[in-house]
Amino acid sequence: MIVPAISDLTEDSSPRSIADLSINDGAEPAVLVHIHFNRQRDEESLAELNLLARSAGALPVAQITGSRRSPDPALFVGKGKAEEIHRILKDSGAELVLINHIISPVQERNLERALECRVIDRTGLILDIFATRAKSHEGKLQVELAQLRHLSTRLIRGWTHLERQKGGIGLRGPGETQLETDRRLLGQRIKSLRARLEKVRKRRSQRRKARKKIPVATVSLVGYTNAGKSSIFNYLTGAGVYQADQLFATLDPTMRRLDLPNAGHVILTDTVGFISHLPHSLVEAFHSTLEEVSDAALLLHVVDRSSDRRSENIEQVNEVLKEIGASDIPVITVFNKVDLVDREAGLERNEDGVITKVWLSAHSGEGMKYLQQAVDEHFSRLRFRQTITVPVAEGGLRAKIFQRFSVLNQSMHENGDWEMEIEGSQADLAWLHRETPGESLKGKA
């Protein structure tokens, strides 16, 4: 037995007339809806919906919450709650409803008919934000693919004349043909996008292989959206990547070189933020981009220390990392925004003396030195020392060794061979083995 929906309007959820609001930059008035499906209230999730709405360019004029044991099969929110939403739409003048859940195409269509306005669920809202954030050619292709996959299950919604597809006297004819044509064209476009993204994926793969030939490790910034990854990225690299207090401010990945005091240099990557209930279609569409994360040597998991949901956000990020095959990569947890919670910057080591956690503020710069220290120590531990003998005839190789390694000591033998004590990373060692086949280099490990 389904429990009837319980009215649970928050204090600020009373409808306000659009005439009483200052709508800037063409913001679209919207009513936000969140339904609790357990006894515990989730006000933070409603706050996140508010941020999502504003990031998409909407202006929330009312927030409606309710409680149910399970979703209504036809309307999701239930008949009584749908009538309440309809009244608030009329009072506020809004023509858009944003549902903080993933609803089925049938539920979406039924709600639009009952409410007489557009209804967008959480997946559609996130896809819309991604569409406005995509700047690169690859990003636009990825977003369009995800949008079309989402649209393919909702194609009938915009075609009221296709009611004739159900058949019957006077209703047979071109309606079904029109729908099939739309689906066929949509399928062709999806196939084309997949083919183009496959070419992009191959190019990315080739670039990663090229980077591996030059032994430079990659460090990826990952974390929940709006945790401050781009702020940290800009502080460390001076890249000037767009940063803002909004969800999904970063969509296209950016790479920059980061010089470390003792471990040489690495490539730092700023990536798209994760979010709870991230649409699977987005994960699949952005697979080539997310491969940059799964190929990293170290992950910096940035967490918003001021968020009350930081534990849940950490779990959501770990789930996505597991889904893309990056759960086994070493991780340093970075707690950002300590200036908002009056906590001092610092670091924490495990029982082996390895830095596992860092507290900092990218806004003020407090504690950023600890993050640089953590990354430097991580890669310094992976460096090795070895004594090698370079034959006198391998002068070119000796010059390359000076370029790629730290040469600690060297001496010349009577026959002209060079004995060199070198320090470098495991990637350096792999390069040395590739460059010196056979016995041309003596003393290799």
Side-chain angles (χ1 to χ4, degrees):
M1 176 178 175
I2 298 177
V3 178
I6 301 174
S7 177
D8 186 28
L9 288 174
T10 59
E11 294 181 0
D12 61 343
S13 60
S14 56
R16 292 170 289 174
S17 171
I18 294 177
D20 299 331
L21 297 169
S22 175
I23 302 176
N24 299 320
D25 301 326
E28 188 172 1
V31 173
L32 311 185
V33 178
H34 178 79
I35 304 298
H36 305 286
F37 290 108
N38 51 48
R39 295 180 181 178
Q40 183 178 2
R41 297 300 186 197
D42 194 2
E43 301 302 335
E44 191 72 21
S45 183
L46 185 58
E48 184 175 87
L49 175 62
N50 195 298
L51 282 175
L52 283 170
R54 294 181 183 278
S55 297
L59 179 65
V61 296
Q63 300 181 71
I64 302 175
T65 62
S67 298
R68 295 187 62 88
R69 181 176 300 170
S70 61
D72 180 75
L75 294 171
F76 187 82
V77 298
K79 184 177 180 181
K81 183 60 67 175
E83 292 175 352
E84 179 184 341
I85 297 172
H86 190 259
R87 289 196 303 271
I88 292 178
L89 285 169
K90 294 297 184 181
D91 293 339
S92 66
E95 297 180 350
L96 174 65
V97 172
L98 302 178
I99 308 290
N100 195 27
H101 307 272
I102 299 175
I103 63 178
S104 70
V106 172
Q107 291 169 331
E108 185 174 314
R109 184 172 70 248
N110 291 341
L111 272 175
E112 288 191 338
R113 289 173 176 172
L115 302 177
E116 301 178 313
C117 72
R118 284 181 298 127
V119 174
I120 300 178
D121 69 351
R122 185 179 178 89
T123 297
L125 182 58
I126 293 175
L127 286 171
D128 186 78
I129 296 172
F130 269 57
T132 61
R133 298 287 190 271
K135 302 301 180 185
S136 69
H137 174 66
E138 177 186 2
K140 292 176 180 179
L141 290 178
Q142 290 168 327
V143 171
E144 184 181 356
L145 175 60
Q147 284 182 316
L148 291 182
R149 287 170 58 88
H150 182 68
L151 177 64
S152 63
T153 61
R154 290 162 166 77
L155 188 61
I156 188 176
R157 180 181 63 180
W159 297 87
T160 55
H161 68 277
L162 295 185
E163 287 296 324
R164 67 185 66 187
Q165 68 174 325
K166 57 189 176 184
I169 296 176
L171 295 176
R172 303 186 183 100
E176 184 175 359
T177 303
Q178 177 68 56
L179 182 61
E180 290 177 347
T181 299
D182 294 333
R183 285 176 174 166
R184 176 174 54 81
L185 294 175
L186 197 63
Q188 290 175 351
R189 180 59 179 170
I190 290 175
K191 184 177 180 180
S192 172
L193 287 172
R194 282 177 172 169
R196 294 166 69 179
L197 282 173
E198 179 62 21
K199 293 181 180 179
V200 172
R201 189 192 67 79
K202 290 181 178 179
R203 286 198 298 268
R204 277 190 175 274
S205 178
Q206 290 172 353
R207 288 198 296 267
R208 281 195 298 272
K209 289 180 180 178
R211 289 201 302 268
K212 287 181 178 179
K213 293 180 180 179
I214 303 175
V216 179
T218 300
V219 180
S220 287
L221 288 161
V222 299
Y224 209 76
T225 181
N226 203 33
K229 296 181 297 299
S230 295
S231 298
I232 293 176
F233 183 83
N234 286 338
Y235 191 97
L236 292 175
T237 65
V241 170
Y242 176 70
Q243 60 188 63
D245 185 18
Q246 58 184 359
L247 304 186
F248 302 115
T250 299
L251 185 57
D252 299 311
T254 306
M255 296 183 180
R256 291 292 187 275
R257 170 171 166 161
L258 175 63
D259 293 315
L260 301 173
N262 301 305
H265 61 271
V266 296
I267 299 298
L268 187 63
T269 305
D270 188 20
T271 61
V272 61
F274 302 147
I275 196 170
S276 61
H277 309 299
L278 185 68
H280 182 75
S281 58
L282 272 179
V283 176
E284 183 176 347
F286 278 74
H287 191 265
S288 63
T289 299
L290 294 174
E291 281 179 348
E292 297 288 354
V293 175
S294 60
D295 201 50
L298 175 66
L299 300 181
L300 301 180
H301 183 171
V302 182
V303 179
D304 182 355
R305 180 61 180 81
S306 64
S307 173
D308 294 332
R309 289 178 54 88
R310 55 184 177 277
S311 297
E312 292 85 347
N313 294 348
I314 290 174
E315 292 179 4
Q316 292 290 339
V317 172
N318 289 337
E319 287 182 9
V320 177
L321 291 176
K322 183 178 180 180
E323 186 173 353
I324 64 177
S327 57
D328 295 330
I329 300 174
V331 177
I332 297 175
T333 305
V334 182
F335 292 96
N336 188 27
K337 305 183 183 181
V338 296
D339 54 315
L340 300 180
V341 292
D342 294 328
R343 193 202 189 282
E344 292 184 359
L347 52 81
E348 179 180 311
R349 299 179 184 270
N350 61 16
E351 56 186 12
D352 297 323
V354 177
I355 299 176
T356 57
K357 298 177 181 178
V358 176
W359 284 266
L360 55 80
S361 169
H363 177 70
S364 66
E366 182 185 5
M368 293 299 295
K369 62 179 181 180
Y370 297 123
L371 179 58
Q372 292 174 303
Q373 178 184 345
V375 177
D376 192 35
E377 285 189 14
H378 174 82
F379 288 103
S380 293
R381 288 194 309 273
L382 302 179
R383 293 173 72 83
F384 71 94
R385 289 187 181 185
Q386 184 176 344
T387 300
I388 60 173
T389 301
V390 182
V392 64
E394 297 289 346
L397 175 61
R398 178 169 171 266
K400 291 181 180 180
I401 289 175
F402 270 98
Q403 293 175 351
R404 296 178 180 271
F405 294 84
S406 296
V407 179
L408 305 178
N409 293 292
Q410 65 172 332
S411 60
M412 181 182 291
H413 294 173
E414 293 182 357
N415 63 354
D417 291 348
W418 286 92
E419 184 174 291
M420 307 174 68
E421 183 183 3
I422 59 176
E423 182 181 78
S425 66
Q426 293 296 330
D428 294 327
L429 180 61
W431 170 85
L432 192 59
H433 278 266
R434 291 194 302 269
E435 289 291 311
T436 56
E439 299 296 327
S440 60
L441 184 67
K442 302 176 183 178
K444 292 190 297 185

